[in-house]
Amino acid sequence: MGLHHVLHDRLAGREHNSFYDRLPPGRVETRYLIATAGRAGSTLLCSRIGEYGVLGFPDEFLNEAFVERLDLVFPQPNLDDFEAYVSARFVSPNGVFGLKSDWWRFDAARRHDLCRSFYEPLDLVVYLWRDDFVAQAVSYTLAVETQQWHARDAVDGDLETAQREVPYDGDKVETAARNILNQEHMWSRFLAGCDAPVIRLSYEALTADPDEAVARIGETLGVDLPPREAAPRMRKGRSGVGREWRERFAAERGEFIRFWNEHRGTMTASA
């Protein structure tokens, strides 16, 4: 079920639902994009941003899974209703709105002229990547295989158990790595022509200090952040399986890793 089908073929074909007329409109004055690929820490970043309450409440509004969940819970929106609802409910009181997206969905939305109020005009792009793209690919592969994407998806201890049941597959890890590397290449091309300021933020820096990452976003947008003393609610799942897979992949496909550590972002990584 792709983004174009859910937004264009389903929602755009409906009549306006008067239910959405009852909702107060949002006041979006500042927009930013968190540009990323899977398993680079974007959920942690978005969760911590939302806890501050002044930088919007960014999420994957262009992800067909998000649209599907909203469509199940709320009276059936058409495309304009969906766009207006998200803009109104996920903007902070000072008018700041954030969108998180991978390259494929962001590109599809632009090509098919979908939900442009989410990302035009942009006042900031936060480019989030992971230094260790192999660990990222392993994490993505395990998440797909177990359908456990975050610590909240599993009771403590269950993540390790679920991942232990997945047989190692180097081909799947390489496919995930190539997907990540392709997105990095496309994002680099987009950023090269982007007029908005860009913050480049690594997963490693983000996980070391989420509040510093949020502070950089607030400073760039000119938004004063309230003090936060409580630790981030989002936490990283604990499992040794990812480390074991990463070590095995490195032992088996060292040349692949060396090549892409040198050339990542500069070309596509099609097999």
Side-chain angles (χ1 to χ4, degrees):
M1 191 71 68
L3 176 69
H4 182 265
H5 174 76
V6 172
L7 288 180
H8 182 271
D9 298 342
R10 184 194 300 176
L11 270 63
R14 294 174 177 169
E15 296 293 328
H16 164 64
N17 190 325
S18 60
F19 168 84
Y20 295 92
D21 295 333
R22 309 174 193 175
L23 304 177
R27 179 177 60 89
V28 177
E29 297 182 355
T30 303
R31 294 171 182 81
Y32 66 95
L33 168 69
I34 298 174
T36 189
R39 315 307 286 174
S42 59
T43 300
L44 170 63
L45 178 60
C46 290
S47 175
R48 193 53 169 168
I49 287 172
E51 289 167 11
Y52 278 85
V54 293
L55 291 173
F57 304 90
D59 207 330
E60 295 182 78
F61 307 123
L62 295 178
N63 189 318
E64 57 275 12
F66 180 93
V67 183
E68 291 273 13
R69 289 194 299 270
L70 186 143
D71 201 22
L72 286 172
V73 175
F74 287 87
Q76 290 191 331
N78 70 7
L79 183 57
D80 290 338
D81 297 333
F82 170 75
E83 193 168 349
Y85 173 82
V86 169
S87 296
R89 308 323 300 170
F90 292 90
V91 63
S92 48
N94 57 350
V96 180
F97 178 86
L99 168 70
K100 174 179 80 168
S101 184
D102 63 8
W103 169 258
W104 310 121
R105 292 179 174 93
F106 180 69
D107 182 55
R110 293 195 306 158
R111 285 188 290 106
H112 296 295
D113 195 27
L114 300 170
C115 298
R116 287 195 176 271
S117 68
F118 293 172
Y119 51 87
E120 289 187 357
L122 283 172
D123 298 286
L124 172 67
V125 179
V126 181
Y127 177 56
L128 183 60
W129 85 100
R130 192 162 175 166
D131 283 338
D132 190 340
F133 74 88
V134 178
Q136 183 178 358
V138 166
S139 179
Y140 182 86
T141 303
L142 286 169
V144 169
E145 294 298 312
T146 63
Q147 285 302 296
Q148 294 187 357
W149 294 86
H150 310 291
R152 65 188 179 210
D153 294 335
V155 178
D156 285 344
D158 284 355
L159 180 63
E160 177 96 22
T161 301
Q163 291 186 349
R164 289 285 173 202
E165 294 176 355
V166 180
Y168 171 82
D169 191 325
D171 289 339
K172 287 183 178 179
V173 174
E174 181 173 324
T175 297
R178 290 184 183 277
N179 180 23
I180 290 163
L181 292 163
N182 280 330
Q183 291 190 69
E184 290 183 352
H185 174 61
M186 301 309 295
W187 279 128
S188 69
R189 294 179 60 183
F190 171 77
L191 295 176
C194 182
D195 294 329
V198 178
I199 293 176
R200 299 175 186 272
L201 181 63
S202 74
Y203 166 90
E204 289 76 9
L206 167 64
T207 53
D209 192 344
D211 291 304
E212 172 60 24
V214 179
R216 288 180 63 188
I217 297 171
E219 181 180 5
T220 305
L221 292 177
V223 176
D224 293 328
L225 303 183
R228 293 292 308 179
E229 296 181 0
R233 295 190 183 98
M234 180 63 63
R235 59 185 177 83
K236 190 179 186 304
R238 301 292 181 184
S239 171
V241 178
R243 181 177 62 256
E244 295 168 12
W245 279 36
R246 197 246 179 264
E247 292 174 354
R248 180 170 174 179
F249 188 87
E252 295 175 352
R253 311 195 188 201
E255 185 57 37
F256 174 86
I257 297 173
R258 284 189 291 273
F259 180 88
W260 285 109
N261 275 332
E262 181 179 354
H263 298 289
R264 65 189 295 191
T266 65
M267 64 180 76
T268 58
S270 301

